[in-house]
């Protein structure tokens, strides 16, 4: 149970950051459940951009 809580908290933290599309450069937020199931590597997530509708690697924009 503890591990599940930690995973959900980490996913919610990541979902609080914007993601930037490589194609149209728009920034957008993603639901934390999507973070749990999407393919990722470091700060790159394979997402569908809600603006241009292209599924590709999007970069997590960490808070400054």
């Amino acid at each position: 149970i503890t591990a599940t809580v930690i995973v959900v908290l980490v996913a919610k933290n990541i979902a609080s950051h914007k993601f930037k599309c490589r194609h149209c450069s728009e920034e957008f937020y993603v639901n934390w459940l999507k973070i749990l199931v999407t393919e990722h590597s470091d700060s790159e997530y394979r997402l569908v951009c809600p603006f241009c509708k292209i599924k590709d690697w999007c970069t997590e924009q960490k808070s400054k």
Side-chain angles (χ1 to χ4, degrees):
I1 294 177
T2 303
T4 302
V5 170
I6 291 171
V7 168
V8 168
L9 290 174
V10 168
K12 285 186 174 189
N13 181 44
I14 293 169
S16 71
H17 301 149
K18 288 184 177 181
F19 291 84
K20 187 172 187 177
C21 177
R22 286 186 179 180
H23 296 276
C24 67
S25 298
E26 291 287 343
E27 293 185 352
F28 56 93
Y29 289 100
V30 177
N31 185 299
W32 68 272
L33 289 171
K34 184 65 131 176
I35 298 296
L36 287 177
V37 298
T38 193
E39 183 180 2
H40 69 277
S41 176
D42 295 326
S43 63
E44 298 279 319
Y45 290 77
R46 192 160 162 81
L47 301 166
V48 175
C49 174
F51 298 97
C52 68
K53 309 294 188 224
I54 295 175
K55 184 174 185 174
D56 199 359
W57 294 97
C58 298
T59 306
E60 177 186 0
Q61 303 297 300
K62 300 198 182 200
S63 302
K64 294 177 183 172

